[in-house]
Amino acid sequence: MFSQKGYLGTSIEEIVEAAESSKGNLYYHFKSKEGLFLHLLVEQVDEWLEQWSAKENHYRTATEKLYGLAEHVADDLRNPLMKAADEFRSSVAADPAVAEQIKIAVRRQREIFHSVIQEALEEEEIGGYDREQLAMILYALIAGLGTVRHERRLDELTSLHHAAISIFLHGTAKAKS
């Protein structure tokens, strides 16, 4: 329901009806609509991390991992729950405790960016900057590309993510002759 109607557009009654359950049963397992939504988001993050873990060992270098990570993020943009998550985060009605739990889940994903950057620094595939700054810039760059997911096809998003990694690694400055 959240994927179809968004967070704000989904009522408890619709969730109960779709689940063929009762309000009592829903509230027995989750304290609120926010609690249910948080559970779904945490499950999605866990799945994302597991999928990345399965892919990560197939890359030989940190640079290959950066491109692979960009693809992994681009693939996740088709997850219909992402739109509802964006809506929830921007909602003034969001329970601050639930919003904090969502931040913790997102930090778990961001740690992957930190570890790949650390590996790239150790292998001297990149250098010259602080690890924390690089990881934050990379994460913001890749996460920011998600804002155009409704304007592009998935293959275009993957290509865009690849270009972002190339620019991150090599810059845009033209060599002077």
Side-chain angles (χ1 to χ4, degrees):
M1 295 302 301
F2 291 128
S3 297
Q4 293 171 4
K5 300 182 85 175
Y7 175 78
L8 295 174
T10 301
S11 70
I12 290 292
E13 290 75 18
E14 291 170 317
I15 294 168
V16 167
E17 185 179 324
E20 297 178 356
S21 188
S22 68
K23 275 189 187 180
N25 190 35
L26 177 75
Y27 286 121
Y28 176 79
H29 294 286
F30 306 100
K31 292 180 181 178
S32 62
K33 180 171 104 169
E34 290 93 348
L36 170 61
F37 190 67
L38 173 62
H39 175 77
L40 294 172
L41 283 177
V42 168
E43 274 189 346
Q44 188 271 325
V45 168
D46 288 345
E47 185 178 311
W48 187 90
L49 292 168
E50 286 174 22
Q51 290 169 350
W52 171 249
S53 182
K55 292 176 182 178
E56 184 179 20
N57 294 329
H58 294 95
Y59 303 110
R60 296 177 312 223
T61 66
T63 299
E64 287 180 5
K65 283 184 185 180
L66 287 169
Y67 284 104
L69 186 55
E71 281 181 28
H72 188 61
V73 170
D75 287 346
D76 195 49
L77 291 176
R78 66 180 144 175
N79 181 331
L81 196 55
M82 297 305 294
K83 179 182 174 189
D86 292 343
E87 179 187 13
F88 179 83
R89 277 186 284 238
S90 65
S91 169
V92 293
D95 178 344
V98 174
E100 183 59 31
Q101 291 299 313
I102 291 172
K103 286 181 190 175
I104 290 168
V106 168
R107 272 189 228 124
R108 290 175 52 219
Q109 288 178 305
R110 201 169 56 223
E111 287 171 8
I112 300 299
F113 289 81
H114 280 78
S115 69
V116 175
I117 289 294
Q118 182 64 38
E119 183 180 335
L121 287 165
E122 289 171 2
E123 298 296 323
E124 298 182 350
E125 294 177 42
I126 60 173
Y129 294 93
D130 176 73
R131 178 183 75 92
E132 290 298 317
Q133 287 179 331
L134 286 172
M136 193 61 75
I137 290 166
L138 176 63
Y139 180 78
L141 174 66
I142 297 301
L145 289 174
T147 62
V148 298
R149 73 176 168 269
H150 308 294
E151 301 171 27
R152 305 279 184 215
R153 294 186 325 264
L154 183 59
D155 62 320
E156 291 175 320
L157 287 171
T158 301
S159 177
L160 192 60
H161 280 70
H162 266 262
I165 295 299
S166 291
I167 292 167
F168 176 80
L169 291 171
H170 309 292
T172 61
K174 204 172 191 184
K176 294 182 180 181
S177 38

